[in-house]
Amino acid sequence: MSGFVPYAPLNVPKPFGERIWIVDGPEIRMDYGPASMPFPTRMTVVRLPGGRLWVHSPIAPDDALFAAIDRLGEVGWLVAPNSIHYWYVADWQVRYPAAQTLAVPGLAEKAKRDFRIDALLEGPAMPLPDDIAGVLVPGTMVSEAVFFHRPSRTAILADLIENFEPARVRSRLFRGLVRLAGVAHPKGGTPVDMRLTFWPRRRAVRAAMAQILGWDCERVVMAHGLPYESRGAAELRRAFGWAL
């Protein structure tokens, strides 16, 4: 049995705003020492002027998903937003060899699966399409690039905010861990263990958070848990209060 009640239907693009879709994927398990924990997966797809697609945190693909994506447009970018959300980029590169792959600094050295990286998500001039802004939040173990899709006013994250609905967590133990980690809906946030990796670089983290909070954000989508469909700026400020 899976660890979560899924956000069905899976592997189907679901509209989330103007020219933006989310795709909930199959559950995966992440190793934590001798144990492993279940996680739902989600990617975000943005259609840019001209029809090309920007794909954030690609999930495990299948033929039906590829066909659905092809109906939305031509994949122009594949994005590995941190050193955890990269595994399936290689599969998407096989399907879309002309797509440009963007990744956070240091991922090439950390990745346990080979894939091509065309440009790094760093500095004030990230190699992003005009409709998308981005900022790197630097950590010691995990750095994450956070994005803002201007037309839909959507902030796009991977793990910096998680927002698990306790009612969807099947295991009582994991339900308790979700609450202890500070990532339970409606007050989702940055997992406590991840916060510790940012502490040594807190000045740079605070500066990055200030940029994120300056966006005119209405929605927030993340890789794990229930997205925020309104009051996005307020949710970001609340969730990132630990760093401000």
Side-chain angles (χ1 to χ4, degrees):
M1 179 183 292
S2 64
F4 292 86
V5 178
Y7 290 101
L10 300 183
N11 283 17
V12 174
K14 293 170 273 195
F16 192 68
E18 182 182 350
R19 302 201 305 269
I20 184 169
W21 293 261
I22 59 174
V23 185
D24 290 291
E27 188 176 291
I28 62 171
R29 297 194 72 88
M30 296 289 294
D31 292 333
Y32 286 86
S36 66
M37 299 177 67
F39 279 86
T41 59
R42 176 181 297 125
M43 72 180 191
T44 303
V45 181
V46 172
R47 184 162 60 204
L48 298 159
R52 292 209 294 168
L53 304 179
W54 184 89
V55 180
H56 176 272
S57 186
I59 61 173
D62 60 21
D63 290 342
L65 175 56
F66 279 146
I69 294 298
D70 290 342
R71 287 192 291 271
L72 293 179
E74 176 190 357
V75 174
W77 291 267
L78 300 170
V79 182
N82 65 26
S83 56
I84 302 171
H85 287 253
Y86 70 87
W87 188 262
Y88 298 108
V89 170
D91 302 294
W92 287 71
Q93 286 181 333
V94 172
R95 174 77 174 201
Y96 305 106
Q100 184 181 33
T101 297
L102 311 178
V104 290
L107 179 53
E109 293 75 28
K110 293 180 179 179
K112 297 180 180 179
R113 187 181 185 189
D114 291 335
F115 66 98
R116 187 188 76 253
I117 296 175
D118 298 310
L120 295 179
L121 295 162
E122 62 180 348
M126 283 188 180
L128 295 170
D130 290 342
D131 277 3
I132 297 175
V135 60
L136 181 68
V137 182
T140 54
M141 297 295 292
V142 177
S143 297
E144 179 168 323
V146 179
F147 304 97
F148 180 61
H149 179 233
R150 294 184 177 96
S152 66
R153 299 172 60 202
T154 301
I156 303 170
L157 301 90
D159 298 317
L160 268 176
I161 295 178
E162 297 175 356
N163 189 39
F164 294 104
E165 294 179 273
R168 287 183 174 269
V169 182
R170 300 187 195 274
S171 163
R172 181 180 298 178
L173 172 62
F174 190 52
R175 202 177 305 137
L177 292 175
V178 161
R179 292 191 171 100
L180 284 174
V183 293
H185 176 74
K187 295 185 178 181
T190 309
V192 172
D193 59 336
M194 182 175 282
R195 295 182 199 181
L196 297 176
T197 75
F198 291 110
W199 184 249
R201 299 182 180 175
R202 54 191 175 277
R203 289 185 179 178
V205 169
R206 190 174 296 118
M209 296 293 190
Q211 286 185 252
I212 294 169
L213 295 178
W215 294 335
D216 180 24
C217 180
E218 175 64 17
R219 302 172 183 84
V220 180
V221 62
M222 67 290 292
H224 310 295
L226 185 69
Y228 295 110
E229 297 193 47
S230 63
R231 300 183 66 255
E235 297 293 357
L236 289 173
R237 181 168 294 278
R238 176 196 54 74
F240 292 153
W242 60 271
L244 301 177

